[in-house]
Amino acid sequence: MKTNTMMNTMIAQPRVARRCLSTGPVTAAYELKVEAGEVRRDDAQVALAAKFDALHESLTSLPPVRTDDLTKNSSTISSALLLILSRSLASAQSFFRKKFHLWSFGPPPRGIYIHGPVGVGKSFLMDLFYESVTVPDNNSCRNNDSHKHTKITKRRVHFHEFMLDVHHRIFAYKQEHPRGDAIPVIAQQLAQEAQLLCFDEFQVTDVADAMILKRLFSLLISDWNVVVVATSNRSPDALYEGGINRSLFLPFIDMLKDTFDIISMEDSQKDYRLESRADGQSYFWSNKDMQGDNNINNNIQAQLEEIFGSTASKTEAESISVLFGRTVEVARLNDQCAWFDFSELCYQPLGASDYISLCRRFPVIIMERVPQLDANHLNEARRFVTLIDACYESRTRLVLAAQVPLDELVGFYPYFTDTAIKRHTMPRRSVYDQTKKIFPGI
């Protein structure tokens, strides 16, 4: 018996060693979670983990970030000339490196763009990759440090928050340099802060963002060698579909397809969040006015009050600070929860920065009187999508009291011209995709 135990131990040790040495850090971390019963092995996820392992290995060829400063004295004529010269030299350097493969650190790593339905593991795998890019403490196999690590700076951010940050930087730059070009300076700042950028929920719904992205990403990738990883519910060709002046955005899509490895998980229809769905109802509906005196509405109100807590009527209104010196008013709240009418959050001119600030303040948000989101509520639907996105990223619980069942929340749009159909289809798909994040199973 003792001999058999020793033999099993001798066989097991090489097997563990082989796994540590033969797989990359992302696959190794994924397999540990599978063995721990935290996830079930999925072929698409295994393939994506291997792709991330390859990118992790290629990060060793990433050239160091230049240290030249484009922000000092940028309002003077001499500095403007230096700025133009620096950009020209950087562009020329980038051209010759690409043309003649003159990368002293090897070819620049390609970014990864992953698209597919919600709940298939896109963000989960990207987070495993992000965690693997770190400075090693020792050479122990147990900590996956037998894999080659790279000392590079990194940033993982929700795409809404990233664009808010970019707009804030543009605003701050323009305050000091009203006639200056902010984008090259911001690209430099971002590159010197993080050589690896990981975006969750990459999507474009705003014309201002669409116009910024092409120049900003071109500079980040071509001139500053920033590696970008992004997850999205949409393929590159579906980005900003039906948007205003989309033709001006198409070069960005072409650049995305030229410089990124595009990975589709569209065939992965299994929503793994359903297996770990949290207890507690978060969606209520009644086709009666919520003030109506009937048993259904009374029951819904009672459940909302229970979720809200016992301090509902005792807490004073609060102003939540938002970027650019703005505030969002919350009339009904307690320490853990804010209660809104749909009109307060989606009829008002609010955006991602407002919703992100609310989610940072409150673990739970209740919103009642949610109508069916049809062609009569296009702007409201866009805001609703942004709110859900913010709740999902911050893990804020969103509780809805609506006027229709969940599977009817996204209404059908009437027939318009071809262009109008495209513009009406975008928010409908966005609402459907984003709603599935918070309420799996629809």
Side-chain angles (χ1 to χ4, degrees):
M1 187 70 174
K2 186 175 181 180
T3 303
N4 290 338
T5 303
M6 291 179 62
M7 287 295 294
N8 290 336
T9 302
M10 292 174 64
I11 293 171
Q13 285 177 344
R15 186 183 300 139
V16 173
R18 278 198 305 271
R19 186 178 65 188
C20 262
L21 294 172
S22 63
T23 62
V26 182
T27 297
Y30 178 78
E31 292 295 343
L32 286 175
K33 289 187 176 294
V34 171
E35 291 179 6
E38 297 179 30
V39 298
R40 290 197 296 112
R41 184 177 282 101
D42 178 275
D43 290 343
Q45 293 179 2
V46 171
L48 180 56
K51 193 71 179 178
F52 275 129
D53 284 333
L55 177 58
H56 184 279
E57 179 67 21
S58 69
L59 290 178
T60 57
S61 68
L62 192 64
V65 175
R66 303 196 312 270
T67 58
D68 45 310
D69 190 352
L70 305 182
T71 60
K72 294 181 179 179
N73 302 320
S74 58
S75 60
T76 64
I77 296 177
S78 59
S79 64
L81 292 174
L82 287 174
L83 175 62
I84 295 172
L85 178 61
S86 175
R87 289 174 60 190
S88 299
L89 288 173
S91 297
Q93 182 185 45
S94 177
F95 170 78
F96 282 110
R97 282 176 172 174
K98 291 176 185 175
K99 185 72 174 177
F100 301 106
H101 305 286
L102 299 177
W103 292 92
S104 58
F105 291 84
R110 290 171 61 85
I112 296 180
Y113 183 97
I114 313 141
H115 64 94
V118 297
V120 297
K122 303 185 302 294
S123 300
F124 166 63
L125 267 299
M126 183 182 73
D127 287 342
L128 288 184
F129 164 72
Y130 182 81
E131 291 167 7
S132 74
V133 180
T134 184
V135 179
D137 295 326
N138 51 55
N139 294 321
S140 67
C141 178
R142 180 175 57 84
N143 293 322
N144 290 331
D145 288 327
S146 59
H147 303 290
K148 197 170 187 179
H149 287 266
T150 310
K151 293 183 179 181
I152 68 170
T153 50
K154 61 180 183 176
R155 180 184 181 189
R156 194 271 193 202
V157 63
H158 191 275
F159 191 68
H160 270 316
E161 288 197 60
F162 174 76
M163 290 309 302
L164 287 173
D165 179 36
V166 169
H167 285 293
H168 181 69
R169 292 174 191 247
I170 293 174
F171 175 80
Y173 180 86
K174 288 295 186 180
Q175 294 298 301
E176 296 186 13
H177 315 289
R179 297 184 179 181
D181 185 359
I183 300 301
V185 175
I186 292 170
Q188 177 201 28
Q189 292 172 351
L190 293 170
Q192 293 180 342
E193 291 168 6
Q195 293 170 274
L196 171 66
L197 281 174
C198 291
F199 296 123
D200 197 23
E201 302 299 332
F202 191 100
Q203 60 176 318
V204 185
T205 59
D206 181 83
V207 63
D209 292 350
M211 296 302 99
I212 290 171
L213 282 174
K214 172 63 168 63
R215 285 195 64 211
L216 180 61
F217 272 60
S218 294
L219 290 169
L220 286 173
I221 295 170
S222 299
D223 291 357
W224 292 99
N225 308 313
V226 172
V227 176
V228 178
V229 175
T231 70
S232 179
N233 295 330
R234 302 179 178 207
S235 67
D237 289 324
L239 288 172
Y240 198 49
E241 195 170 32
I244 299 172
N245 293 327
R246 187 173 186 262
S247 60
L248 300 177
F249 181 71
L250 295 180
F252 172 76
I253 295 177
D254 293 335
M255 184 204 73
L256 198 65
K257 292 190 287 188
D258 288 341
T259 57
F260 284 65
D261 289 335
I262 310 299
I263 299 176
S264 172
M265 298 184 74
E266 296 292 345
D267 295 333
S268 302
Q269 298 300 325
K270 177 67 174 177
D271 189 343
Y272 288 97
R273 296 164 307 139
L274 291 173
E275 299 180 359
S276 59
R277 190 171 180 177
D279 293 333
Q281 187 175 353
S282 292
Y283 191 93
F284 306 86
W285 76 276
S286 171
N287 57 10
K288 303 291 184 181
D289 187 284
M290 289 299 292
Q291 296 296 333
D293 185 16
N294 60 71
N295 292 334
I296 295 178
N297 287 338
N298 288 341
N299 182 50
I300 291 175
Q301 285 293 309
Q303 293 183 76
L304 295 181
E305 293 284 358
E306 183 178 353
I307 294 171
F308 185 76
S310 60
T311 60
S313 61
K314 299 179 182 178
T315 308
E316 296 182 357
E318 183 177 331
S319 295
I320 307 298
S321 298
V322 187
L323 285 175
F324 307 111
R326 298 172 51 251
T327 60
V328 178
E329 301 300 318
V330 185
R332 190 177 185 186
L333 71 150
N334 57 41
D335 289 341
Q336 299 294 314
C337 181
W339 191 326
F340 297 95
D341 189 276
F342 180 84
S343 62
E344 293 179 275
L345 290 182
C346 296
Y347 278 100
Q348 304 303 316
L350 303 181
S353 58
D354 305 286
Y355 301 135
I356 290 170
S357 296
L358 288 174
C359 290
R360 286 173 176 167
R361 169 64 179 84
F362 300 104
V364 181
I365 293 177
I366 297 174
M367 185 165 64
E368 60 180 330
R369 296 189 183 87
V370 180
Q372 186 180 52
L373 300 170
D374 54 20
N376 296 319
H377 298 90
L378 290 181
N379 291 328
E380 293 78 14
R382 291 179 187 275
R383 297 187 187 107
F384 183 73
V385 165
T386 306
L387 170 63
I388 285 185
D389 221 20
C391 290
Y392 180 76
E393 176 66 14
S394 64
R395 302 299 185 261
T396 296
R397 181 185 179 188
L398 179 63
V399 180
L400 299 181
Q403 298 170 1
V404 293
L406 179 57
D407 58 359
E408 297 178 14
L409 183 61
V410 184
F412 293 99
Y413 296 115
Y415 181 81
F416 291 94
T417 64
D418 290 343
T419 303
I421 288 174
K422 290 181 180 179
R423 291 180 180 174
H424 284 67
T425 301
M426 180 173 64
R428 182 172 188 264
R429 179 178 173 182
S430 295
V431 174
Y432 181 80
D433 288 343
Q434 305 304 82
T435 304
K436 281 189 68 178
K437 294 178 183 176
I438 304 293
F439 308 105
I442 65 170

